[in-house]
Amino acid sequence: HQQIVRTILFVIALNVAVAFVLGAVLFVASKKIVFDPLIELAHASSRLAKGDLSTLVKVRTTGEVKTLVDSFNEMVKNLEKVTVSKDYVDNIIRSMINTLIVVSPDDKIIRANDAACRLLGYEEEELIGRPAETIFGGERSRKDSWMKTMLADGRVGNIEESYRAKNGREFPVLFSASVMRDDNNLFRGAVYVAQDITERKRAR
């Protein structure tokens, strides 16, 4: 009876040891082949979402995970070819001579370039989140008129509007606006571009 018990315990211990060794080997292999690449892929996706188009996943793996990594790297290379970097766009917007205001679908300011801030006397942080009405002077009916045209035609161009600075001063601007729509043709906001024509009107 004792011999049988010892044999059974030995077999159980041997099975547990073998299972532990196999489990450790499988864990190490899975970590190297599956978990590490997936973690790196998640980090790369995060960097890509922040605008880093140079992001590539450089890990060695096999099977379906390798296919996933290769597809991700191929997508990044294609994006590099067709996408303009955020920094590049920001530099263009900052260097514009004319003012540029971007508004959300509910007509709240979400972006203002340096020219707009200088002309209106605001810091960009002061304008963001405010209704676009903040920067317009003159009669409300005039804005309602070109707003309807913009929504119907997609844009309005070179009309005379009135802007109001932070100190309350109003001045004439040559104004253009264009709607932004997504791939489903849903309204996603508008872009307002304007040029101060105070000196031009005074000269005239």
Side-chain angles (χ1 to χ4, degrees):
H1 178 73
Q2 291 176 346
Q3 183 65 33
I4 292 172
V5 170
R6 284 197 296 269
T7 302
I8 292 173
L9 291 176
F10 174 76
V11 171
I12 292 174
L14 182 62
N15 286 334
V16 170
V18 171
F20 178 79
V21 171
L22 287 176
V25 171
L26 287 174
F27 175 77
V28 171
S30 298
K31 183 175 183 299
K32 184 176 181 180
I33 297 173
V34 179
F35 297 139
D36 287 348
L38 289 179
I39 291 172
E40 177 59 28
L41 191 61
H43 291 327
S45 298
S46 178
R47 294 194 298 272
L48 182 64
K50 294 177 181 178
D52 183 3
L53 297 180
S54 63
T55 299
L56 289 176
V57 178
K58 298 179 180 179
V59 292
R60 291 184 178 180
T61 185
T62 59
E64 289 81 0
V65 178
K66 183 177 186 303
T67 302
L68 184 62
V69 169
D70 291 343
S71 297
F72 179 86
N73 289 336
E74 185 67 25
M75 178 190 69
V76 171
K77 290 176 182 177
N78 290 334
L79 281 174
E80 283 185 300
K81 295 176 183 178
V82 300
T83 305
V84 179
S85 73
K86 181 178 181 297
D87 290 339
Y88 186 74
V89 174
D90 286 344
N91 286 332
I92 292 175
I93 292 174
R94 277 197 298 269
S95 63
M96 287 178 63
I97 297 175
N98 293 337
T99 70
L100 181 139
I101 303 285
V102 182
V103 299
S104 63
D106 58 353
D107 211 30
K108 297 288 181 62
I109 298 172
I110 57 177
R111 183 71 189 269
N113 71 346
D114 292 348
C117 293
R118 286 195 301 270
L119 184 64
L120 297 170
Y122 289 97
E123 296 293 331
E124 185 177 20
E125 293 75 17
E126 296 178 280
L127 286 172
I128 291 176
R130 290 196 179 195
E133 192 69 27
T134 303
I135 66 170
F136 288 101
E139 299 176 359
R140 170 74 196 193
S141 59
R142 183 167 56 188
K143 182 186 176 187
D144 291 339
S145 176
W146 62 253
M147 180 70 76
K148 291 178 181 178
T149 302
M150 180 189 72
L151 292 176
D153 299 340
R155 65 181 300 276
V156 292
N158 296 329
I159 62 174
E160 188 172 321
E161 244 302 350
S162 178
Y163 269 10
R164 182 190 301 115
K166 184 178 180 180
N167 61 12
R169 181 178 70 89
E170 295 189 6
F171 48 87
V173 294
L174 190 63
F175 179 83
S176 297
S178 178
V179 299
M180 296 186 296
R181 298 189 184 276
D182 62 15
D183 293 339
N184 297 318
N185 204 35
L186 295 176
F187 179 61
R188 292 302 183 189
V191 178
Y192 300 154
V193 178
Q195 179 185 7
D196 183 8
I197 57 172
T198 303
E199 294 300 324
R200 185 189 305 181
K201 287 180 68 70
R202 183 179 293 126
R204 187 183 302 165

